[in-house]
Amino acid sequence: GASSSFSETVTAAPGAGSFTLAGGAIAAGGNCTVTVNVTVSSAGPYVNTIPAGALTNAQGVTNASPGTATLYNNATVAKAFTPNAVAPNADATLTFTLSNGNTIPMTLANPAFTDAFPSGLVATGGAVTAAGCGAFAPATVTAGATAFTATAGTIAAGGTCTVSLDVRSATAGIYANTSSGVTTTQAGTTGPVSNTANLGVGLVNIAKQFAPATILSGGTSTVTLTLSNPTGVALAGGNF
């Protein structure tokens, strides 16, 4: 779609590689804005230039300088807990994977992204591990912190950057966590939010009973074991 702040015809067909403007008029001392929505299907950046002299009008006045703008792909973020279920007060590693779909390196803004932990989940404290992220910051996180914010770093062209820190909770339950999108200095805008990662906290409980509870010598009773999982996350490979 296309729009303009003054009266003229803007032609921008879906799927077209260009658009045109015709019949525009600008008041003396005024200005106008033309907006056209575009999409991309491959790695950026895309440099778009209107050459000098491209503007024509009835007065024969044109643009002496070109108009240039660059469009970048936003960096993206995905997250996961490892393991995705732990006992109360046990550590799980929270990992963020930042991806750069551009053909040039991207520099993280300050802030680059923020992850506000769900109530009851906190940082264990200590080192923040970063791989594939040039000059990443911060290098540590405070014990008991209820959020994490990235403040510096770079992602290589077409590359990924992984950031990891430990978190924990003293309370059983399921902790659903989503972080903000990533902002870079080149794009200047924030990308899409992350996926939602779930961390289950709790101990598997075992209850048992005999039925009947009283039998004669040589009789038969059935023992039933009931295992309950309070974490909200499916558990597998258990044994006892």
Side-chain angles (χ1 to χ4, degrees):
S3 64
S4 174
S5 62
F6 68 117
S7 177
E8 82 299 316
T9 301
V10 178
T11 303
S18 63
F19 72 93
T20 60
L21 179 148
I26 309 174
N31 55 60
C32 73
T33 302
V34 178
T35 302
V36 177
N37 296 325
V38 298
T39 60
V40 300
S41 58
S42 59
Y46 295 83
V47 180
N48 182 232
T49 301
I50 297 177
L55 174 66
T56 60
N57 55 37
Q59 289 73 35
V61 179
T62 188
N63 58 309
S65 301
T68 299
T70 303
L71 177 64
Y72 299 90
N73 295 113
N74 280 121
T76 60
V77 55
K79 65 188 307 182
F81 290 103
T82 307
N84 66 350
V86 293
N89 291 315
D91 290 346
T93 299
L94 172 57
T95 299
F96 305 91
T97 301
L98 313 182
S99 299
N100 173 16
N102 295 281
T103 58
I104 63 169
M106 300 293 278
T107 303
L108 298 179
N110 183 7
F113 69 90
T114 297
D115 185 10
F117 305 149
S119 178
L121 187 68
V122 298
T124 303
V128 175
T129 302
C133 321
F136 183 84
T140 60
V141 61
T142 303
T146 58
F148 174 76
T149 299
T151 57
T154 58
I155 314 173
T160 60
C161 154
T162 59
V163 179
S164 300
L165 63 144
D166 288 341
V167 295
R168 59 170 50 193
S169 176
T171 306
I174 184 167
Y175 295 86
N177 187 215
T178 304
S179 76
S180 74
V182 179
T183 305
T184 61
T185 58
Q186 289 86 355
T189 58
T190 301
V193 300
S194 74
N195 60 300
T196 297
N198 294 318
L199 175 65
V201 176
L203 297 174
V204 173
N205 300 310
I206 301 178
K208 64 188 298 184
Q209 67 178 40
F210 290 97
T214 303
I215 58 174
L216 297 174
S217 176
T220 300
S221 177
T222 299
V223 61
T224 299
L225 304 177
T226 302
L227 283 70
S228 59
N229 171 16
T231 68
V233 174
L235 303 179
N239 55 76
F240 61 88

